[in-house]
Amino acid sequence: MTTGGYHRGVPGRNRDAGEAGFALIETIASAILLIVVALAVLSSLDAATKTAGANKGRTVAAALAEQDQERMRGMAITQLSNFHGQQTITVSGADYTVDSRADWINDSAGTTQSCSAANAQADYIRITSTVTSGIVGQATKPVVVQGLVSVPVGSFGTDQGTLTIKVLDRANQPVRNMGVTVSGPRSLNDLTNDLGCAVFGFIPVGSYTAQVNTPGWVDTTGQQLSTQDATVSAGTVTTKPMTYDRAASIHATFVDSSNAPVPTAGATKLRLTNGAVVTGFPDTDIAAGQSTAAKTGLFPFTAAYYVYPGSCDKANPAMYSDPVANKVLDPAEDWSPQLRLPTIQVTVRDAGAPVANATVKIRGTAAAGCTGDQVLNATTSASGVASVPMPYGTYDVCAASGGKSGQATSPVANTTALGGPPATVDIAAAGPSC
């Protein structure tokens, strides 16, 4: 009996421990549920606060835009013409940027003054107020309010006209928000609109010069400062296009047959052509010992640029059945081609024996049209050989040593042979002077 009583007591104690563990699990589960519910409530409150802040910001922005519209309506027509300004207004500790703009529009089209029309003047001025802040225009869209201002009869004189400058990129697409300055009887500046137009309405007739000058941009001649002359006539619109785009660049590396960088043996040039659009560009000088060369400020034509080392057209690898590095450059692209420099191998002999430390002079030949270019002095090794990396071409090779000299001609052609056949110069006491 005692033994049976003992066994009955053990299960009773095990059931109490299991019930206690289950209560602990219920407590933990309840705590987790409470945390989840609390986080959901806090998230909802945070979202509501953000929404309320955004709505308040847009309300303030809308009020500022309306105030700016009234301000522009109160301006004189002559002052409102070509007007564009920006101001920062602080409300309840938050900064709001108010951008004000006046654009001439046509009554018949109801759109911004065209850049292609060159007949009648615009009819109305459209005033636009755009307001942004740390929230408005960032987390939400900017507030934009527009209105029309009619031009009273007689507001402008009969000796006034309109000058329109249209800025286009390489694909003849409008360039927006580009600064344009005109100088002449009156000096003005403005930003191009969505059509790429800067419209200077009702300005005194006469000769004007328009210019764009934005760092990192160039015209088709590679100039950052691009100008355009125009004459404004009474009662008409004078339209002038300007082509302008982000500048591209080339950073070339000279390599040998294994594509390893190799320095130029003598002063040379980097040639750049774009035959489909521009016949040529000024050569870039490359000092002896340089393995790279750069060409910057390039207009990104839709035709390819061709680039190779050398100082005349006969250095073009295409003349020696070798491809020329070429590429259509995108706006702001930096192209890094590898340009091969073939090697002239010169062996100097005296009575059939190799001559060490002989002086070798290499010069472009008259037949190749490169007379006087690519002059280079080199020295032979102990085996009487001088290997010199040079641009493609045909060269006169002259060697001298110990009062003796000799001359030969070597073509630098066909990269498969890495410079073509070597030149061998036999020197003699009666040889030609180098």
Side-chain angles (χ1 to χ4, degrees):
M1 294 297 293
T2 304
T3 303
Y6 173 78
H7 286 296
R8 285 195 301 270
V10 172
R13 287 194 297 271
N14 289 341
R15 284 196 301 270
D16 292 341
E19 290 174 358
F22 182 73
L24 178 60
I25 292 173
E26 286 183 324
T27 301
I28 295 174
S30 299
I32 292 173
L33 180 60
L34 180 61
I35 292 173
V36 171
V37 172
L39 290 175
V41 171
L42 291 175
S43 177
S44 299
L45 292 175
D46 184 55
T49 301
K50 289 182 177 179
T51 301
N55 290 337
K56 180 181 178 181
R58 292 191 65 81
T59 299
V60 173
L64 293 176
E66 290 293 346
Q67 291 177 10
D68 188 57
Q69 288 280 294
E70 292 302 319
R71 178 178 70 91
M72 285 193 285
R73 287 192 180 94
M75 295 170 63
I77 291 297
T78 52
Q79 182 183 9
L80 190 59
S81 177
N82 309 307
F83 177 73
H84 182 79
Q86 191 177 86
Q87 57 180 321
T88 300
I89 301 175
T90 302
V91 179
S92 299
D95 291 336
Y96 292 82
T97 300
V98 183
D99 189 86
S100 312
R101 185 182 182 97
D103 291 304
W104 288 99
I105 65 170
N106 289 104
D107 187 28
S108 58
T111 57
T112 302
Q113 172 71 40
S114 170
C115 292
S116 59
N119 40 41
Q121 300 271 23
D123 303 288
Y124 296 94
I125 295 178
R126 181 176 64 196
I127 54 176
T128 303
S129 301
T130 304
V131 182
T132 57
S133 70
I135 297 177
V136 181
Q138 305 296 325
T140 63
K141 293 181 178 180
V143 172
V144 180
V145 178
Q146 294 182 325
L148 293 177
V149 176
S150 60
V151 180
V153 176
S155 295
F156 298 97
T158 57
D159 60 345
Q160 293 176 324
T162 296
L163 174 60
T164 300
I165 301 298
K166 185 170 187 176
V167 184
L168 303 169
D169 63 15
R170 70 168 186 172
N172 288 325
Q173 295 300 308
V175 178
R176 302 172 178 84
N177 294 319
M178 175 61 64
V180 179
T181 299
V182 297
S183 57
R186 185 179 176 189
S187 295
L188 297 164
N189 60 79
D190 199 1
L191 297 176
T192 55
N193 57 28
D194 289 341
L195 298 177
C197 305
V199 182
F200 302 95
F202 295 93
I203 58 178
V205 299
S207 298
Y208 287 84
T209 297
Q211 70 175 40
V212 287
N213 188 13
T214 299
W217 291 66
V218 293
D219 61 15
T220 56
T221 64
Q223 300 299 312
Q224 176 181 307
L225 173 59
S226 183
T227 61
Q228 176 68 270
D229 293 331
T231 300
V232 176
S233 301
T236 62
V237 177
T238 300
T239 302
K240 291 290 184 178
M242 298 183 73
T243 303
Y244 207 54
D245 213 325
R246 288 170 293 166
S249 59
I250 296 175
H251 286 80
T253 301
F254 306 118
V255 297
D256 58 19
S257 60
S258 63
N259 291 329
V262 58
T264 58
T268 185
K269 296 178 182 292
L270 183 70
R271 305 218 84 195
L272 186 68
T273 62
N274 187 317
V277 182
V278 179
T279 56
F281 296 85
D283 295 337
T284 299
D285 291 326
I286 307 167
Q290 299 297 309
S291 59
T292 61
K295 192 74 173 177
T296 59
L298 301 175
F299 185 83
F301 292 106
T302 54
Y305 279 98
Y306 291 78
V307 59
Y308 56 89
S311 59
C312 67
D313 292 338
K314 297 299 177 67
N316 191 333
M319 299 188 67
Y320 307 92
S321 302
D322 212 23
V324 187
N326 68 92
K327 193 177 190 301
V328 176
L329 299 180
D330 291 327
E333 181 178 1
D334 185 12
W335 178 33
S336 300
Q338 290 186 330
L339 308 181
R340 179 165 294 182
L341 279 176
T343 299
I344 292 181
Q345 182 172 308
V346 181
T347 300
V348 181
R349 301 182 306 187
D350 183 0
V355 179
N357 297 317
T359 298
V360 177
K361 180 174 287 187
I362 300 174
R363 184 188 302 270
T365 65
C370 301
T371 303
D373 293 330
Q374 305 296 347
V375 177
L376 173 71
N377 293 321
T379 304
T380 58
S381 64
S383 58
V385 176
S387 297
V388 185
M390 296 290 287
Y392 286 86
T394 302
Y395 298 91
D396 288 329
V397 180
C398 185
S401 177
K404 298 180 179 181
S405 61
Q407 188 167 328
T409 298
S410 176
V412 179
N414 193 340
T415 52
T416 302
L418 192 58
T424 300
V425 180
D426 291 306
I427 60 175
S433 174
C434 293

